[in-house]
């Protein structure tokens, strides 16, 4: 399957969206932790893992999108 330019742009847009939304989520989570919010340890661990996994997915999609975008320029 050959990716077209519009596919590359979509992959890059989804990657950027993941970074922005989960960056905001990480900031809010850190703010809640710093303010002393009482939560179980599992809450903090589960949400931290969720953030890391989604940023990794964004990196993968961004990489694929960038490669596809470069290949459409040739």
């Amino acid at each position: 399957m050959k990716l077209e330019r519009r596919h590359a742009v979509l992959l890059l847009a989804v990657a950027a969206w993941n970074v922005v939304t989960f960056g905001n989520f990480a900031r809010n989570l850190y703010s809640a932790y710093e303010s002393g919010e009482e939560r179980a340890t599992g809450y903090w661990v589960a949400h931290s893992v969720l953030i890391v996994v989604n940023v990794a997915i964004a990196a993968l999609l961004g990489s694929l999108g960038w490669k596809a975008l470069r290949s459409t320029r040739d």
Side-chain angles (χ1 to χ4, degrees):
M1 182 174 115
K2 184 175 182 202
L3 294 177
E4 297 176 8
R5 186 172 180 84
R6 63 185 172 153
H7 298 123
V9 171
L10 177 64
L11 288 172
L12 290 171
V14 171
W17 178 255
N18 270 3
V19 169
V20 168
T21 58
F22 280 92
N24 186 39
F25 183 52
R27 189 179 64 222
N28 291 339
L29 189 66
Y30 181 75
S31 175
Y33 178 76
E34 284 296 309
S35 69
E37 192 171 311
E38 295 288 327
R39 299 281 185 162
T41 303
Y43 173 86
W44 303 112
V45 171
H47 286 85
S48 297
V49 168
L50 180 65
I51 291 166
V52 170
V53 167
N54 276 287
V55 169
I57 290 170
L60 176 67
L61 292 176
S63 174
L64 291 173
W66 184 252
K67 288 178 186 177
L69 188 63
R70 282 192 334 200
S71 71
T72 60
R73 289 184 183 168
D74 295 339

